[in-house]
């Protein structure tokens, strides 16, 4: 009896340690965003032909070690083995389905699977003491919130790209992490009824996720389609008026302080980044695409074309090249829609968007409070 009592007394302490570990790992994941790109660049510079192999090998090694240790501890408990195999099968299936064909990008996304699987396991261990459905919901929500802030931080950091696709990828790895966690260390028991306070905890964390995802979407994905009779149409995070204001601001600022390479801890200039995506699309496209993209740059991102690289312009065409393209393409009357931006832009009205988000958050809190008070859960 005393041994059982000691074990129960130790569980809250272990939960606190696991929660501390989960929080430390979460902070490291989020604040490490400015440096991960530099680490990857260093690996690529030292091993230019083996970069993806090194990342994939690290992932395979971690998965293999984790699986081996778990199998030794299981001792032929087939239910736990089924959960672990399911997690591995879903993870492999998703990795294959979401493959981009770019070996380097796919290798990094596989590493994220391991990263968020470990994070989910830490949160799962921290909340096992709840012994109800919240031991699965709370870790999933907490890890998803960390993943959202990770991508949001990447969006602000020069040289990194944060988008909703990667947030959803984190969600898939969290699901696999939960299955693996339950296989590695199944709960002693899961009550059909939620303990007092569990529903409200779930609700508050769910609201945090809703607000976090909404804030990320607002920053990275909400925008406008700019229509121009001469050019066609292109997407931008900014309205036409904002683009004009930003162009005037950058022209004045860059006249005395030209843009330089942004440091790791600086905030990315999204106006400059948008323009450079159009430069890349112009340089990679055929004559028709090149002319339209160049006109987009001339009309809306002019200060970027005026950036110099030594005595010459870094991105502006020489006059003879512009004249040549103009003579070959200005008679083209076909509609043009730019595909320069690599991430989707949603043309939702921001006021309506936030009204909807606020309504959802209020509905979640109100529902959880009603359930807690009535003791229905």
């Amino acid at each position: 009896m005393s041994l059982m009592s000691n074990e129960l007394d130790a569980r809250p302490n272990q939960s606190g340690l696991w929660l501390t570990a989960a929080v430390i790992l979460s902070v490291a994941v989020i604040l490490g965003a400015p440096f991960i790109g530099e680490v990857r660049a260093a690996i690529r510079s030292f091993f230019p032909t083996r970069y993806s192999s090194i990342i994939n090998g690290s992932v395979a090694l971690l998965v293999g070690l984790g699986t081996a240790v778990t199998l030794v501890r299981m001792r032929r408990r087939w239910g736990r083995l089924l959960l672990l195999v399911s997690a591995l099968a879903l993870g492999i299936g998703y990795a294959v389905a979401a493959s981009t064909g770019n070996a380097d990008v796919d290798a990094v996304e596989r590493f994220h699977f391991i990263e968020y699987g470990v994070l989910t396991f830490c949160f799962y261990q921290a909340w096992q003491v709840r012994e109800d459905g919240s031991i699965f919901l709370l870790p999933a929500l907490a890890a998803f919130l960390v993943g959202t802030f990770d991508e949001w931080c990447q969006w602000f950091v020069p040289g990194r790209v944060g988008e909703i696709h990667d947030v959803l990828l984190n969600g898939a790895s969290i699901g696999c992490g939960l299955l693996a966690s339950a296989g590695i260390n199944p709960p002693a028991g899961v009550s059909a009824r939620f303990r007092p306070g569990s529903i409200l905890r779930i609700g508050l964390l769910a609201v945090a996720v809703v607000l976090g995802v909404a804030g990320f979407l607002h920053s990275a994905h909400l925008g406008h389609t700019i229509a121009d009779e001469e050019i066609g149409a292109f997407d931008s995070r900014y309205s036409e008026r904002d683009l004009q204001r930003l162009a005037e601001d950058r022209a004045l600022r860059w006249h005395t302080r030209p843009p330089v390479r942004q440091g790791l801890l600086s905030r990315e200039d999204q106006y400059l980044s948008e323009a450079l995506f159009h430069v890349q699309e112009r340089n990679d496209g055929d004559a028709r695409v090149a002319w339209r993209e160049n006109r987009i740059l001339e009309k809306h991102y002019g200060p970027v074309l005026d950036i110099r690289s030594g005595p010459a312009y870094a991105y502006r065409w020489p006059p003879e090249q512009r004249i040549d393209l103009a003579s070959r393409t200005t008679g083209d009357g076909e509609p043009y829609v730019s595909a320069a931006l690599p991430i989707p832009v949603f043309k939702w009205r921001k006021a309506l968007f936030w009204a909807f988000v606020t309504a959802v958050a209020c509905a979640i809190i109100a529902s959880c409070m009603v359930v807690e008070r009535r003791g229905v859960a």
Side-chain angles (χ1 to χ4, degrees):
M1 186 72 177
S2 61
L3 289 175
M4 183 178 295
S5 177
N6 290 337
E7 183 179 347
L8 292 174
D9 291 341
R11 289 180 62 187
N13 293 332
Q14 292 176 357
S15 296
L17 291 174
W18 278 109
L19 185 58
T20 301
V23 171
I24 291 173
L25 180 57
S26 300
V27 172
V29 167
I30 295 170
L31 297 185
F35 307 100
I36 296 299
E38 295 295 312
V39 172
R40 294 209 303 255
I43 297 174
R44 188 181 283 110
S45 65
F46 281 110
F47 307 99
T49 61
R50 299 181 180 179
Y51 172 76
S52 58
S53 299
I54 291 172
I55 302 297
N56 285 326
S58 300
V59 170
L61 179 62
L62 290 171
V63 171
L65 286 174
T67 303
V69 171
T70 304
L71 290 175
V72 169
R73 295 184 58 189
M74 279 183 183
R75 298 177 182 176
R76 298 183 180 179
R77 295 178 182 177
W78 302 113
R80 295 170 61 181
L81 180 61
L82 179 61
L83 289 172
L84 186 63
V85 170
S86 298
L88 289 172
L90 289 173
I92 293 171
Y94 185 86
V96 171
S99 176
T100 63
N102 184 316
D104 290 354
V105 172
D106 292 339
V108 171
E109 291 195 348
R110 287 163 192 155
F111 183 82
H112 277 306
F113 245 90
I114 303 301
E115 183 179 39
Y116 279 92
V118 172
L119 180 64
T120 303
F121 177 75
C122 291
F123 278 121
Y124 170 83
Q125 291 289 97
W127 278 307
Q128 263 212 342
V129 71
R130 300 301 301 173
E131 294 185 345
D132 58 26
S134 65
I135 67 175
F136 300 110
L137 294 175
L138 290 175
L141 290 169
F144 195 84
L145 184 62
V146 173
T148 302
F149 279 106
D150 179 22
E151 296 300 325
W152 202 350
C153 185
Q154 289 183 42
W155 183 83
F156 281 104
V157 173
R160 302 297 306 276
V161 177
E163 60 171 308
I164 194 65
H165 167 267
D166 292 332
V167 174
L168 299 178
L169 172 66
N170 295 338
S173 62
I174 289 165
C176 293
L178 275 179
L179 282 174
S181 298
I184 293 169
N185 187 21
V190 179
S191 172
R193 294 175 59 86
F194 284 91
R195 295 177 59 183
S198 287
I199 287 291
L200 197 54
R201 284 185 175 88
I202 294 169
L204 291 172
L205 203 47
V207 167
V209 169
V210 168
L211 296 178
V213 171
F216 173 68
L217 286 172
H218 178 101
S219 295
H221 287 281
L222 296 193
H224 308 267
T225 295
I226 311 298
D228 187 292
E229 291 184 2
E230 177 202 354
I231 300 170
F234 66 97
D235 288 341
S236 172
R237 286 191 54 259
Y238 307 103
S239 66
E240 191 168 4
R241 180 179 299 177
D242 287 337
L243 285 173
Q244 181 179 357
R245 176 182 56 80
L246 289 167
E248 293 171 355
D249 172 78
R250 298 304 189 273
L252 182 63
R253 188 194 309 175
W254 292 347
H255 181 69
T256 55
R257 291 179 297 166
V260 295
R261 185 178 184 274
Q262 296 171 296
L264 288 177
L265 301 180
S266 61
R267 177 172 176 176
E268 182 174 354
D269 186 337
Q270 298 294 339
Y271 173 82
L272 174 59
S273 297
E274 270 196 14
L276 294 181
F277 286 130
H278 287 286
V279 170
Q280 182 177 352
E281 186 76 2
R282 179 195 70 179
N283 295 346
D284 294 342
D286 57 21
R288 175 175 179 269
V289 170
W291 174 253
R292 299 296 182 94
E293 291 295 338
N294 195 64
R295 290 299 291 145
I296 290 172
L297 289 163
E298 290 177 338
K299 283 192 169 186
H300 300 282
Y301 303 92
V304 176
L305 293 179
D306 292 329
I307 297 174
R308 288 185 174 272
S309 177
Y313 291 109
Y315 307 112
R316 186 180 290 279
W317 278 345
E320 58 274 14
Q321 183 179 5
R322 187 183 186 283
I323 292 171
D324 175 61
L325 264 294
S327 65
R328 289 193 284 148
T329 59
T330 50
D332 178 14
E334 292 185 17
Y336 177 74
V337 179
S338 173
L341 295 192
I343 64 175
V345 173
F346 305 131
K347 295 83 176 179
W348 303 332
R349 292 187 178 182
K350 293 180 179 179
L352 292 177
F353 171 72
W354 279 106
F356 174 76
V357 170
T358 302
V360 170
C362 291
I364 291 172
I365 291 296
S367 300
C368 291
M369 292 179 66
V370 168
V371 172
E372 281 282 358
R373 287 177 181 175
R374 292 183 178 179
V376 175

